[in-house]
Amino acid sequence: MNVFEKQMEEIPNEYRSLPFWSWNDKLDQEELRRQIRQMHQQGIGGFFMHARGGLKTKYLGEEWIQAIQCSIEEAEKLGMEAWLYDEEGWPSGFAGGRVTSLGSYYHMRWMEQEREILENIDWQQKILGIYDESGRYLGDMKENIEEKIEDDTQFLYVVYEKVNPYYVDVLNPKVIVKFLEVTHEKYLNRFSDEIGKVIPGFFTDEPQFAKLKIPYSICLEEMFEKNCGYSPKIAYTALFREVLGYQKYRCDFWKTISQMYTEGFCKTIYEWCKKNNCMLTGHLMREDSLLMQMQATAGVMPSYEYMDMPGIDWLRRRISSPLTPKQVGSAAAQLGKKFVISEMFAMTGWDCTPEELKWIAQWQYVNGVNRMCQHLQSYTILGERKRDFPPSLFYQQSWWNEYKYFNDYFARIGKILSEGTSGTEVILLHPMHSAWMLYNGEESKEIIEYGQAFEEISQSMSDYHIDYHYGVEEIIRKYGKIKDNFFIVGDCTYKAVVIPDMMNIEKTTADLLFEFVKHGGKIYSVGKMPDYISGEQNPHILDQLNHSVIPVRLSDLKSRLKIDLEWTVSISENGVETQGVHYQLRKECAGNKAYLYIVNLNKNKITKNRVTVSGNWMVSIYDPFENKVNFHYSEQEKNSTFFHLTLQEMEGAILVLEKRMSNNGKSKKAEKIEERKDQITLSAEGIWKVQKCDFNSMTLDSCVYKIDSGEWQKRIPLIRLMDILLQEKKPVPVSLKFQFCMEMEPEKCKSMYLIAEGLDILKASINGQITEIKSNGWWKDKAFHKFDILPFLQKDINEIILEIYFYQDQKVYDVLFGKDVLETERNKLTFNTEIENIYLLGDFGVFNHNGFTYSWRKELISDDTFSIREMPNYVYSDDFTSQGFCFFAGKIKLAQKIYIHEFDDSKGVKIVSNKNKRYIYKLFRLHAMCANLYVNGSFLKKIFWKPYECDITDYIHPGENEIVLELYASNRNLFGPHHHIDGELYAVWPADFTPVPSPFKNDSRNVWSEKYHFVKFGL
C-alpha cells in the first residue's frame, strides 16, 4: 500500500455521507442507539434527525428532546455527526404549525389576477390593485374605480391578495425570527454545549414562497419602494400581462422578491447559526430549471451564500443537464464553501441498484457536489412508510451489510473533490434575470423553451469538455472584480466569459465586462445578445456590449478557448469529443499534482476515449472501490499528455496526474498495455444449483372484507380498502379474509411464518381454528413480526381471517378532506390504524399457473394465480423471478461447475497449451443489487457495478472447478408497486401504489392494473 492508498484507507467522517434518518414512529431510545451503530458499521458519517409522516412521538416535546439527547450521546461515542433537521415534515419554516398558529400576519401570501367587469369584483377580498386594458392603475377602492371608468361593462384586471394558513411568509424576516424562536432556540436551550460540536448545525428543507404563484408579502410594498423608488401597486398587472413597460417592472419586482427570499429566510437563519457557532445546510425548492426556480425562489444561487454547506435535492432514477448540481457547485466554489451536499435517491424505487445509485451520484459529483445525503433511512417501514418515496436505504435492505463498500467509495471521491482548488477557468453567465422578464405566473412555452436552450448550451459545453462555472449576477455584483486580465468572482479566477442567450443583463455586470475587455479579457457569445439593461433598453450600453464580445458557434468555442486557458482537456473517440463523458479537474496548491475525475454518464454505451491534458504529466488511475492506485500508460505530445481510457456504461474513473520529472515522453514504471489476446472469457450462463437461500416470501395484498356486522364484500386490494374505511370518517370494526393455495403438503416446509406489521400477538382464524400466537422475532423491519402458522396449514386453499378495529384521530380527516390543505400538513400526517399487506415467509417456492409476460425495464407481468410449491433446487440464468421467486427479497447462493481444459486446438494442427493464458470470468448482466463471487471456495470479488468481471486465473485448475455467486435481491417484488400500468417506475411516488396518479404528475389516467408487475431477479 503506497502513501496515497494509506491516506485514503480510512476516510474521516466529515467526508462521509449524512443520510436523512426518518423519525416516523414512536421513538425508542435503545432502538435509536442500535440504528446509529448500524449506520456507523456501514461507513456512514452522521445523520439528519428528520421528523416525518408517521411520527408518534410529539415533535419538540420532552420525549422528542430525550430521543435527540440519546442520539447525540451515541453519535459522540462513535465520532459521528448528529445534525438537527429544523421542521416537522417539510417545507421548513412553520415549526409543525407553531408559527402558522400565531395568526394571519405569519401566513403565506400570493397574488391572483381576474379579468371581470365592475359589478363582478369581489370587494370582500383584499384587492391589491385594479387596472384597465392598457395596464393603467385605477386604484384599489370601489369609489376610485367608478370615477375613472366610462363604461361599467368594460373589462378590468383585478389583482387579489390570497392567503393560506398552512404555511408561512418566508419573505418576511420577522416571521422567520419567530420560527427560530420556537425551533432553534428550543434546541439551543437544551443542547448549548453540543451545538457546534457533535451537533454541527441545522438542515433546512425546501423553503418557498407561494409555489407556482406570483408571491406577495405584508412587507413587499415597503421593501419595493425602498429598492426601486416607486410603489409596486402601479403595475401588479404587469406581472401577469405584457403591458407597456412590463420588462422594467418585472425586473424590479423579481429583484426585490429575490432579495426578500434570500435575506428573509436563508440569511436570517444563517446569521443566527453564525451567532451560535453552528452551521446551516439544506436545499431550496424547485432548483431544476429556470421556470421551476421562478415558481418558488426567483433563483436559487444567491441563497447559497448563506449556507455553510449549500445543497440540492435530486429526485427519481434519472440524470439531466448539469444545471442543478452546477448551480450549487459554482456558487460554492466562488464563495469558498468546502462542502456541497445533495439529498439524492428519493423516488428511485426499491429496485434501484447500487450501480444506478452510483450513476445518479457521480453525475452530481462531477458537477460540484462532494457530500451525499441519502434519502432515506427509515426508522421503520411500518404501514405507509414503506411507500414514502422509496427506497429506504437502511437495515431493511437485503444488501445492507454490503453497503459500507458503497459509502467508502463515495467518501473517497468526496475527499478528493473537496480538497485543492478548482481547475475551472471559464464562467458562463446565468440568465436568471432574463427568466424574470419572461415569467407571467404560468408555465408558458416561452420560458420553458428559453430555459431548455440554456440547459442545452450548458450540456454542450460539458460534452465538448469545456470546464466552466455559472455566474449569477447577484454573486458577481457582490464579489466580482477585474485584476489584470482575470475575471474574478470570490475565490475563483476566470480567463474567459461566455454569454448564452440572454434577454436582460444587469448594468453592474455589463460594467464589469467592459473593464474585463479593457484589461485584455475575452468574452464569447454563443447566443442572442441581451436587448435590455436592468430591464430597460439602453442602446449605448447595448451597442458597447455587442462590440465587446466575440460571437462564436458553440461547436467552435473549445478551439477558440484553447489559446486563452492554462488547462484544456479533450476526451474524444475517433477525433470527436465524446458526448456524455464529463470531467472535473482538481489542482493541488503546489501545482505538481492534479486529479481528473471522468465519468461516463451514458447508460447504454461503452466509450473508448483518448484523453489529452495540458502539461507534462505522469498518470495513475485510482480505484476508490478497491483503494488501489495503478500506473497508467501515457505519452507526451507537444505541450500535452495523452492516454487511452475505456469506460463501461455508467463507469467513473479518477486519474492522478503528477508532474513528470523526465522528458522521455513515456510514463515512468508503466508500459503500454495492449488488450490481451491470450485470455479466455468464461461467462455466467446456464443452470445453477441453489446452494443456500434466505427464506422465500409471498405478498398477500388483497382480501375479501366486511365492515362491522355487514356482508362479506368482494375481494379488493388492501390499499383500496384503506381508502374506503377513511371515507367512513368514523371508527369501524373490519374483518379481513385472506386466501392462498399450497400445492404441497405443509410438512414439506421446515418453516412457515405469517408476517404482520405492528402486532406482538396475532389473533386470527386460520382455516377455521381460532388462534392466538406470540411473535417469534422480526423480519425485514423490527415492526414486521413473525408468527409461526405452519401447524395450522393444509394442502390446497388456506384461509386467514384478521379482525381489526379501524380508528383515526379527527386530525387525520381534517388533513385528508379539509379545504386548501397544503403539503405542510400532509407531509407530517400520522395514521392511528393502517390496513396493510401481510406476507408469508418460509422455505418454499411461489409459482404462477399462467406464466409471465416480459416487458421493458426488466419487467415481468402475471395474473394473480399464485401458488406455493417446494423451493426449487435449480434455476436458470437471467430470470429467477418466474422460477419460484416472484416475491423474493433476500440473498441466494448459487453454484455451478465449470471445466477447464489444458489444451486448445483452435490453431489448427498445432495443439496449444492454455497454461499461460488468463481466465476472465464475466457476467454479461446482473439483475440483482450486488453479488459476491467465489471460486473453489475462495472469495474473489464484490460486484456492484460494471465491469462485471474478474480474473480468476490464480484460483482455478485444469478439470472441474466450482463457481459460486451470492446474489442480493431488492425489496421491489415484495413491496411493489405491483399494480401500476406502467410497470417498473423510475419515479415512485406514494400515490403510485394506488389507482390515483400523484397530483405532481401530469397524468389523468386510472393507473391501476389488476395484473402483477414484477422485475427480474437473476443473472
Side-chain angles (χ1 to χ4, degrees):
M1 184 178 286
N2 66 25
V3 173
F4 182 74
E5 290 169 349
K6 286 180 181 177
Q7 291 173 347
M8 303 300 286
E9 179 67 16
E10 293 298 331
I11 302 296
N13 280 331
E14 68 170 318
Y15 301 97
R16 291 186 172 274
S17 63
L18 294 167
F20 269 2
W21 185 17
S22 173
W23 285 12
N24 59 4
D25 198 22
K26 183 75 171 174
L27 302 176
D28 175 79
Q29 291 191 22
E30 284 309 307
E31 177 61 12
L32 292 169
R33 292 178 186 274
R34 183 191 77 86
Q35 292 191 11
I36 292 170
R37 292 193 293 271
Q38 287 274 308
M39 290 184 231
H40 182 257
Q41 289 167 12
Q42 299 310 320
I44 290 167
F47 45 82
F48 296 106
M49 294 170 281
H50 177 13
R52 206 163 171 95
L55 180 65
K56 293 183 177 178
T57 297
K58 184 180 179 182
Y59 177 64
L60 292 181
E62 184 56 33
E63 194 176 346
W64 172 269
I65 296 295
Q66 290 300 320
I68 297 281
Q69 179 69 55
C70 88
S71 299
I72 292 168
E73 292 170 359
E74 197 66 28
E76 191 166 27
K77 288 179 193 174
L78 300 171
M80 298 174 73
E81 299 177 4
W83 288 76
L84 296 165
Y85 182 94
D86 67 5
E87 189 52 85
E88 182 182 13
W90 72 94
S92 294
F94 70 111
R98 290 160 181 79
V99 178
T100 47
S101 68
L102 296 174
S104 177
Y105 177 82
Y106 296 88
H107 295 162
M108 177 178 73
R109 287 170 159 74
W110 70 95
M111 307 179 199
E112 289 183 6
Q113 177 174 271
E114 299 290 343
R115 181 174 182 264
E116 49 200 359
I117 62 175
L118 183 64
E119 68 175 353
N120 292 338
I121 294 175
D122 184 356
W123 300 102
Q124 300 302 311
Q125 292 191 59
K126 181 173 180 181
I127 295 173
L128 300 175
I130 301 175
Y131 309 85
D132 67 14
E133 188 71 37
S134 70
R136 181 171 63 103
Y137 176 61
L138 302 176
D140 55 15
M141 305 289 289
K142 187 174 183 179
E143 48 271 26
N144 301 134
I145 309 304
E146 290 174 332
E147 294 172 0
K148 294 179 181 178
I149 62 173
E150 298 177 359
D151 183 355
D152 287 353
T153 63
Q154 79 176 73
F155 279 105
L156 304 171
Y157 292 85
V158 185
V159 178
Y160 294 102
E161 178 193 71
K162 300 290 183 177
V163 182
N164 190 295
Y166 292 105
Y167 190 51
V168 295
D169 179 2
V170 298
L171 306 176
N172 187 340
K174 292 181 181 179
V175 172
I176 305 310
V177 166
K178 183 59 66 175
F179 170 56
L180 289 167
E181 287 176 10
V182 298
T183 304
H184 298 63
E185 292 286 350
K186 178 154 190 172
Y187 284 126
L188 183 64
N189 290 337
R190 293 298 294 266
F191 303 113
S192 58
D193 292 338
E194 292 88 353
I195 285 179
K197 297 173 185 173
V198 63
I199 301 177
F202 292 81
F203 189 105
T204 198
D205 201 2
E206 299 189 351
Q208 57 197 259
F209 51 65
K211 192 166 58 181
L212 281 68
K213 311 286 187 183
I214 302 287
Y216 184 72
S217 170
I218 285 174
C219 51
L220 170 64
E221 293 179 12
E222 179 184 351
M223 180 63 74
F224 187 98
E225 287 195 39
K226 179 181 175 183
N227 286 352
C228 305
Y230 65 95
S231 170
K233 278 179 167 289
I234 66 168
Y236 283 141
T237 190
L239 300 171
F240 302 90
R241 299 188 292 140
E242 295 184 3
V243 297
L244 182 66
Y246 79 93
Q247 299 94 336
K248 175 69 166 68
Y249 182 79
R250 287 185 185 178
C251 283
D252 288 346
F253 177 85
W254 288 110
K255 188 180 296 183
T256 303
I257 291 294
S258 176
Q259 178 188 346
M260 292 175 69
Y261 175 82
T262 300
E263 296 180 358
F265 192 89
C266 286
K267 186 180 180 182
T268 302
I269 298 176
Y270 178 78
E271 289 181 342
W272 184 95
C273 288
K274 293 296 99 182
K275 178 182 175 183
N276 292 286
N277 302 310
C278 63
M279 293 192 290
L280 177 64
T281 188
H283 80 90
L284 309 177
M285 184 63 180
R286 298 181 74 81
E287 307 132 323
D288 302 8
S289 71
L290 299 187
L291 170 62
M292 293 174 75
Q293 291 176 67
M294 289 305 304
Q295 294 172 327
T297 65
V300 295
M301 287 183 70
S303 290
Y304 295 143
E305 179 180 359
Y306 300 111
M307 290 184 177
D308 297 279
M309 181 165 59
I312 58 170
D313 177 26
W314 191 255
L315 311 172
R316 302 184 282 280
R317 199 183 316 185
R318 62 175 183 129
I319 63 172
S320 186
S321 79
L323 181 74
T324 304
K326 192 167 282 289
Q327 285 176 154
V328 67
S330 300
Q334 292 156 359
L335 298 168
K337 315 285 188 180
K338 181 176 181 179
F339 291 111
V340 176
I341 198 165
S342 173
E343 175 199 332
M344 57 182 85
F345 309 143
M347 299 167 60
T348 56
W350 284 108
D351 194 48
C352 191
T353 65
E355 182 171 43
E356 291 171 306
L357 297 175
K358 169 178 167 283
W359 171 64
I360 294 165
Q362 68 188 10
W363 164 72
Q364 297 175 72
Y365 275 54
V366 82
N367 284 302
V369 169
N370 54 29
R371 203 159 186 198
M372 181 182 292
C373 168
Q374 295 97 324
H375 183 296
L376 190 68
Q377 290 189 182
S378 293
Y379 178 86
T380 179
I381 55 171
L382 170 72
E384 71 165 5
R385 299 159 184 83
K386 69 179 70 64
R387 297 181 288 276
D388 184 7
F389 304 97
S392 170
L393 292 165
F394 205 13
Y395 76 95
Q396 299 95 351
Q397 294 274 7
S398 67
W399 62 287
W400 170 248
N401 288 330
E402 306 294 313
Y403 194 35
K404 186 177 190 298
Y405 297 92
F406 181 91
N407 288 310
D408 285 352
Y409 179 88
F410 277 103
R412 290 173 180 136
I413 294 175
K415 186 175 190 299
I416 289 169
L417 297 182
S418 61
E419 297 187 339
T421 59
S422 167
T424 305
E425 299 176 274
V426 177
I427 186 168
L428 172 65
L429 296 188
H430 192 294
M432 196 68 228
H433 293 199
S434 299
W436 290 354
M437 290 174 54
L438 286 169
Y439 187 59
N440 62 0
E442 298 178 2
E443 297 188 353
S444 68
K445 179 182 177 182
E446 290 77 12
I447 192 170
I448 291 172
E449 290 181 349
Y450 186 78
Q452 288 172 343
F454 176 64
E455 291 188 54
E456 286 168 8
I457 290 171
S458 186
Q459 179 71 34
S460 295
M461 288 179 66
S462 294
D463 282 343
Y464 286 130
H465 308 115
I466 300 168
D467 193 12
Y468 62 96
H469 286 151
Y470 295 140
V472 74
E473 295 188 75
E474 288 87 346
I475 294 176
I476 290 173
R477 176 176 54 81
K478 293 178 73 172
Y479 297 101
K481 64 181 180 181
I482 307 302
K483 184 177 181 182
D484 298 327
N485 63 336
F486 298 115
F487 192 99
I488 297 171
V489 182
D491 288 359
C492 293
T493 299
Y494 304 105
K495 294 185 176 179
V497 177
V498 177
I499 301 179
D501 282 320
M502 292 184 78
M503 295 178 62
N504 179 61
I505 191 169
E506 296 300 322
K507 185 176 183 302
T508 52
T509 307
D511 288 343
L512 204 61
L513 292 175
F514 297 149
E515 187 180 352
F516 182 50
V517 171
K518 182 179 176 182
H519 284 77
K522 299 283 185 66
I523 306 173
Y524 297 96
S525 169
V526 294
K528 188 175 181 297
M529 289 293 288
D531 293 319
Y532 296 89
I533 301 292
S534 299
E536 296 182 289
Q537 290 189 322
N538 188 320
H540 173 69
I541 296 178
L542 290 169
D543 186 59
Q544 185 182 357
L545 185 61
N546 284 324
H547 283 88
S548 299
V549 305
I550 303 168
V552 62
R553 290 185 304 179
L554 196 55
S555 58
D556 295 331
L557 180 61
K558 187 178 182 72
S559 61
R560 297 297 296 265
L561 286 168
K562 196 169 184 178
I563 61 174
D564 304 322
L565 308 182
E566 177 186 355
W567 288 86
T568 58
V569 175
S570 171
I571 306 170
S572 63
E573 284 186 293
N574 302 316
V576 179
E577 297 296 316
T578 312
Q579 293 198 357
V581 176
H582 295 175
Y583 81 92
Q584 183 186 156
L585 180 73
R586 302 294 299 181
K587 302 182 296 183
E588 285 202 350
C589 296
N592 294 322
K593 192 173 184 179
Y595 299 95
L596 191 61
Y597 180 45
I598 304 177
V599 296
N600 179 10
L601 299 173
N602 296 290
K603 206 171 183 183
N604 299 299
K605 180 187 175 186
I606 298 172
T607 63
K608 296 182 178 181
N609 309 286
R610 175 189 163 110
V611 182
T612 306
V613 186
S614 301
N616 187 5
W617 303 98
M618 230 167 50
V619 181
S620 301
I621 189 164
Y622 174 60
D623 179 356
F625 190 83
E626 299 288 350
N627 190 31
K628 295 291 182 186
V629 176
N630 292 300
F631 286 100
H632 196 73
Y633 180 84
S634 63
E635 294 185 23
Q636 190 174 3
E637 183 178 71
K638 296 181 180 177
N639 296 317
S640 298
T641 301
F642 77 87
F643 53 90
H644 294 278
L645 180 69
T646 297
L647 292 172
Q648 301 287 319
E649 305 95 321
M650 301 185 284
E651 187 179 10
I654 294 177
L655 288 306
V656 183
L657 310 179
E658 297 176 278
K659 283 288 185 185
R660 197 192 301 269
M661 297 301 142
S662 62
N663 291 311
N664 61 9
K666 291 188 179 182
S667 290
K668 223 174 176 182
K669 298 186 185 178
E671 296 297 331
K672 187 170 183 179
I673 300 171
E674 301 286 354
E675 187 174 342
R676 295 190 69 104
K677 295 184 173 61
D678 57 344
Q679 72 179 32
I680 297 172
T681 300
L682 305 170
S683 59
E685 296 180 308
I687 191 167
W688 293 80
K689 179 178 174 58
V690 178
Q691 190 178 83
K692 186 179 180 181
C693 186
D694 285 352
F695 279 149
N696 202 355
S697 48
M698 179 176 176
T699 302
L700 302 181
D701 66 354
S702 63
C703 68
V704 298
Y705 72 99
K706 65 177 180 178
I707 297 174
D708 206 347
S709 56
E711 297 294 322
W712 286 104
Q713 304 298 309
K714 66 179 183 179
R715 193 164 71 121
I716 190 173
L718 278 100
I719 203 157
R720 285 184 174 177
L721 178 57
M722 178 80 174
D723 289 336
I724 289 170
L725 296 175
L726 287 168
Q727 291 289 342
E728 295 278 327
K729 299 181 185 178
K730 64 180 181 181
V732 290
V734 58
S735 303
L736 314 177
K737 185 190 294 183
F738 299 87
Q739 290 186 338
F740 62 93
C741 178
M742 293 189 73
E743 295 185 3
M744 65 175 186
E745 296 295 340
E747 295 77 22
K748 290 186 177 180
C749 284
K750 294 179 182 177
S751 302
M752 177 77 88
Y753 298 97
L754 183 146
I755 307 298
E757 301 181 18
L759 301 177
D760 294 321
I761 296 175
L762 178 70
K763 297 178 180 179
S765 169
I766 305 177
N767 292 327
Q769 298 183 62
I770 305 299
T771 64
E772 190 168 307
I773 309 170
K774 290 184 178 179
S775 171
N776 190 20
W778 58 273
W779 174 72
K780 281 289 175 192
D781 185 284
K782 292 196 81 173
F784 284 36
H785 290 272
K786 292 164 55 180
F787 301 97
D788 185 0
I789 61 170
L790 185 58
F792 305 97
L793 300 184
Q794 61 192 23
K795 189 176 180 181
D796 204 11
I797 301 300
N798 288 266
E799 182 179 272
I800 300 173
I801 299 176
L802 302 179
E803 307 286 347
I804 294 174
Y805 184 70
F806 187 83
Y807 165 79
Q808 308 294 346
D809 286 336
Q810 184 59 42
K811 174 71 173 177
V812 171
Y813 300 117
D814 293 342
V815 171
L816 292 179
F817 304 110
K819 183 181 178 183
D820 297 329
V821 178
L822 289 182
E823 64 172 343
T824 51
E825 296 301 310
R826 296 182 188 277
N827 292 341
K828 62 187 183 74
L829 183 62
T830 298
F831 292 103
N832 301 85
T833 309
E834 296 182 78
I835 304 294
E836 282 296 316
N837 302 338
I838 61 174
Y839 311 90
L840 302 176
L841 183 71
D843 51 336
F844 53 76
V846 181
F847 296 84
N848 188 278
H849 280 270
N850 296 318
F852 294 82
T853 302
Y854 291 86
S855 184
W856 72 338
R857 295 178 178 174
K858 305 184 296 182
E859 182 190 358
L860 299 84
I861 306 170
S862 77
D863 61 20
D864 62 355
T865 57
F866 300 107
S867 62
I868 290 175
R869 303 176 197 163
E870 292 184 57
M871 171 80 80
N873 293 317
Y874 292 90
V875 290
Y876 289 91
S877 297
D878 185 47
D879 164 37
F880 307 154
T881 305
S882 62
Q883 299 176 61
F885 294 96
C886 303
F887 300 94
F888 184 68
K891 65 177 183 285
I892 187 171
K893 219 168 194 178
L894 306 169
Q896 187 182 69
K897 301 294 184 182
I898 61 169
Y899 196 92
I900 302 299
H901 290 278
E902 292 189 62
F903 295 95
D904 177 5
D905 69 344
S906 64
K907 303 300 181 183
V909 295
K910 186 177 180 181
I911 304 301
V912 179
S913 171
N914 290 328
K915 184 176 181 180
N916 295 320
K917 294 184 178 179
R918 307 303 297 180
Y919 285 81
I920 307 299
Y921 192 78
K922 184 170 184 177
L923 282 65
F924 289 102
R925 58 195 165 264
L926 181 62
H927 298 318
M929 304 307 279
C930 56
N932 291 319
L933 172 65
Y934 302 81
V935 177
N936 291 326
S938 296
F939 170 75
L940 262 65
K941 185 175 182 178
K942 291 188 178 295
I943 302 172
F944 274 69
W945 37 70
K946 294 182 182 73
Y948 305 144
E949 60 186 41
C950 181
D951 188 329
I952 64 172
T953 309
D954 298 334
Y955 297 87
I956 57 175
H957 50 74
E960 192 173 77
N961 296 260
E962 184 182 60
I963 302 289
V964 173
L965 281 169
E966 185 175 43
L967 303 182
Y968 293 78
S970 74
N971 286 331
R972 163 61 175 81
N973 288 341
L974 182 73
F975 295 141
H978 291 119
H979 299 285
H980 196 288
I981 58 174
D982 295 334
E984 172 65 345
L985 304 176
Y986 283 0
V988 184
W989 298 78
D992 290 326
F993 295 80
T994 76
V996 182
S998 167
F1000 298 99
K1001 287 186 176 181
N1002 184 19
D1003 191 353
S1004 59
R1005 301 172 298 163
N1006 177 354
V1007 297
W1008 186 265
S1009 168
E1010 295 299 334
K1011 299 283 189 179
Y1012 281 77
H1013 298 258
F1014 299 99
V1015 296
K1016 286 183 181 180
F1017 168 58
L1019 291 171

